[in-house]
């Protein structure tokens, strides 16, 4: 579940997740305090969040869970276990409150069960909260995309899936903004940062939810396209390229356009991850040499001898370049 979230959530989603968990957990602490106070003072509790059969749906935390479960991404793993603990906690609380409201002695075993469930529930929610806070640091602050360190874990996960299934395919693409140094030199780093942010937004809006785009370094971006073959990936990436080329930003009454060069290849089960990324990088530089603002693909099957990053000598690099193919330009 944790890995699925890291692959699927954007920086803004992690920030919102952390804020929602914090707010909902605070509301549940208040709920706990009211029960404790009522048990000590022997004051009945009549609200639905305490006595209803579906009481777990009436508290702030329960309403938040109901909202996020509308998204299939959260209907699994840690969130389902939290929902289960939350329901059990409310059931245990209802037993105690029933005894309280009917002026009966509070059963010690029932109270101890309630406190144990409360601890397990809070521990699990705090683990998720810490995860969401930690992963806010896994994103590049300028582009708000995954940084290189965090996307490496996504690559490793896709590579592992590929090793387990012979019929699974995944493609990667490298993109590099054209003439970016000239932008910084001529207009300054403020405009450069705006172009980076703009480019990242175009990229992020253009991919599927289970795809990934990250800032790989400087003005370079890395895409990951799970369950996609090379021919389709080349067309998808070229549509993204075209969308970027047809966009612009305004800064102090000046319009700035931006283009990028793209290299696409497969994540290869017969070589290491670095080798596949380097192959995409070589294709991207071939796009630069083809005039920039274009997409070039290279089939991993064309380079049988490539097994690792360290083995990419000049001879193999030249072989890869010979098998680079430019994707015909289309329209978005």
């Amino acid at each position: 579940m944790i890995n699925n979230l890291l692959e699927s959530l954007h920086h803004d989603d992690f920030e919102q997740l952390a804020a929602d968990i914090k707010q909902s957990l605070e509301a549940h602490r208040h709920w706990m305090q009211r029960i404790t106070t009522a048990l000590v003072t022997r004051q009945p509790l009549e609200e639905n969040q305490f006595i209803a059969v579906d009481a777990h749906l009436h508290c702030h935390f329960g309403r938040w869970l109901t909202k996020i479960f509308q998204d299939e991404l959260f209907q699994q793993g840690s969130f389902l276990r939290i929902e289960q603990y939350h329901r059990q906690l409310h059931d245990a609380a209802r037993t105690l409150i029933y005894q309280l409201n009917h002026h009966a002695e509070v059963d010690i075993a029932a109270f101890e069960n309630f406190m144990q469930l409360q601890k397990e529930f809070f521990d699990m929610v705090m683990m998720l909260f810490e995860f969401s806070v930690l992963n806010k640091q896994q994103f590049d602050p300028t582009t708000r995309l995954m940084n290189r360190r965090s996307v490496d874990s996504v690559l490793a996960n896709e590579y592992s899936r590929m090793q387990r299934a012979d019929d699974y395919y995944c493609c990667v693409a490298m993109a590099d903004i054209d003439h970016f140094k000239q932008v910084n030199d001529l207009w300054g780093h403020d405009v450069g940062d705006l172009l980076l942010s703009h480019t990242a937004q175009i990229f992020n809006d253009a991919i599927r939810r289970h795809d990934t785009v990250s800032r790989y370094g400087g003005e370079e971006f890395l895409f990951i396209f799970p369950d996609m073959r090379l021919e389709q990936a080349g067309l998808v990436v070229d549509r993204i390229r075209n969308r970027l080329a047809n966009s612009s930003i305004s800064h102090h009454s000046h319009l700035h356009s931006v283009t990028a060069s793209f290299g696409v290849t497969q994540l290869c089960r017969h070589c290491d991850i670095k080798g596949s990324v380097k192959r995409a990088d070589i294709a991207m530089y071939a796009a630069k040499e083809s005039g920039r603002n274009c997409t070039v693909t290279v089939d991993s099957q064309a380079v049988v001898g490539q097994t690792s990053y360290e083995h990419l000598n000049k001879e193999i690099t030249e072989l890869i370049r010979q098998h680079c193919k430019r994707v015909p330009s289309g329209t978005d």
Side-chain angles (χ1 to χ4, degrees), residues 4-56:
N4 288 343
L5 281 180
L6 184 57
E7 292 178 35
S8 304
L9 291 186
H10 187 256
H11 177 276
D12 293 339
D13 297 319
F14 273 113
E15 287 200 347
Q16 188 61 52
L17 179 62
D20 287 346
I21 292 175
K22 184 177 180 180
Q23 184 181 32
S24 299
L25 200 55
E26 185 59 35
H28 225 276
R29 284 198 179 97
H30 180 67
W31 176 85
M32 286 287 300
Q33 289 173 355
R34 287 196 61 191
I35 293 176
T36 304
T37 301
L39 291 174
V40 171
T41 62
R42 304 298 296 174
Q43 295 295 317
L45 294 170
E46 301 293 345
E47 296 103 312
N48 280 336
Q49 62 177 313
F50 299 107
I51 64 173
V53 175
D54 58 349
H56 63 287

Side-chain angles (χ1 to χ4, degrees), residues 181-241:
K181 185 178 184 303
Q182 294 180 18
V183 172
N184 281 332
D185 290 345
L186 184 61
W187 297 101
H189 288 277
D190 287 346
V191 173
D193 285 348
L194 284 174
L195 282 178
L196 282 170
S197 180
H198 170 75
T199 300
Q201 188 67 52
I202 294 289
F203 288 171
N204 195 63
D205 289 346
I207 61 176
R208 302 170 299 178
R209 177 156 194 169
H210 57 282
D211 297 334
T212 300
V213 59
S214 68
R215 186 181 181 185
Y216 208 61
E219 62 270 27
E220 287 188 338
F221 298 81
L222 175 70
F223 292 82
I224 304 173
F225 298 104
D227 198 25
M228 190 179 292
R229 292 178 181 269
L230 182 61
E231 182 178 0
Q232 181 187 2
L235 295 175
V236 167
V237 168
D238 200 62
R239 285 197 293 269
I240 296 172
R241 176 204 61 77

Side-chain angles (χ1 to χ4, degrees), residues 247-266:
S247 68
S248 62
I249 63 169
S250 177
H251 181 71
H252 294 327
S253 301
H254 290 282
L255 278 179
H256 299 274
S257 59
V258 57
T259 65
S261 302
F262 296 79
V264 191
T265 192
Q266 305 99 322

Side-chain angles (χ1 to χ4, degrees), residues 135-151:
N135 278 284
K136 287 194 295 184
Q137 309 304 317
Q138 302 298 314
F139 293 84
D140 170 62
T142 302
T143 62
R144 304 178 78 83
L145 300 177
M146 279 187 184
N147 58 30
R148 183 167 182 167
R149 177 182 297 179
S150 56
V151 81

